[in-house]
Amino acid sequence: MRDEITLVTAFFPIGRGEWTGEAQRSDDKYFKYFHHWARIHNDLVVYTTPKNAERIKQIRLSFGRTNTQVYIVNELKDIDKTMYSLMHDVGERYRKYSLFPDKPEVNNPIYDFVMYA
């Protein structure tokens, strides 16, 4: 048994490149961040879409990191269909009551679901 720390993360494109304001970031920007910290020696587990799985593996391999497991999630909502549905329903109704209606935590139920998952 290894006693090192395994890092677990995820990358799911949620259309953030189309947002406005400080929360706006393209998927390429996230991969730029990942390219920076992907050289870490720790074992790494990444949950992502089929489209991004190979890109993640290749970035890690470019630093000689073979200790990466990438798990493909075909449909984000399949992680927890009940919670996805609940969060979507609440997200659709809550925004008008929020003190911060432009924050992604308020106006984007998919963002909230990714944070939850």
Side-chain angles (χ1 to χ4, degrees), residues 3 5 7 12-18 32-33 43 48 50 52 56-57 61 64 67 73 86 90 94 112 114:
D3 60 356
I5 295 172
L7 302 175
F12 294 103
I14 58 173
R16 213 169 166 160
E18 299 163 14
K32 182 179 177 185
Y33 294 153
D43 292 348
T48 193
N52 292 307
I56 290 165
K57 291 176 191 175
L61 285 174
N67 55 340
V73 177
L86 287 169
V90 169
Y94 178 74
D112 292 337
V114 168

Side-chain angles (χ1 to χ4, degrees), residues 17-91:
E18 299 163 14
W19 297 4
T20 57
E22 293 178 21
Q24 188 269 345
R25 288 186 201 101
S26 68
D27 293 348
D28 285 335
K29 183 140 189 162
Y30 276 103
F31 276 108
K32 182 179 177 185
Y33 294 153
F34 180 66
H35 196 272
H36 178 73
W37 71 263
R39 64 193 78 217
I40 196 165
H41 290 271
N42 298 65
D43 292 348
L44 180 64
V45 175
V46 182
Y47 293 88
T48 193
T49 62
K51 178 183 174 187
N52 292 307
E54 194 57 37
R55 187 174 183 184
I56 290 165
K57 291 176 191 175
Q58 290 306 313
I59 290 171
R60 285 285 283 178
L61 285 174
S62 73
F63 298 110
R65 307 297 182 256
T66 58
N67 55 340
T68 307
Q69 295 177 29
V70 176
Y71 293 99
I72 294 174
V73 177
N74 288 309
E75 290 289 330
L76 187 59
K77 65 183 173 189
D78 289 345
I79 294 171
D80 185 340
K81 289 180 183 180
T82 301
M83 185 59 73
Y84 182 88
S85 179
L86 287 169
M87 292 177 87
H88 229 292
D89 291 346
V90 169

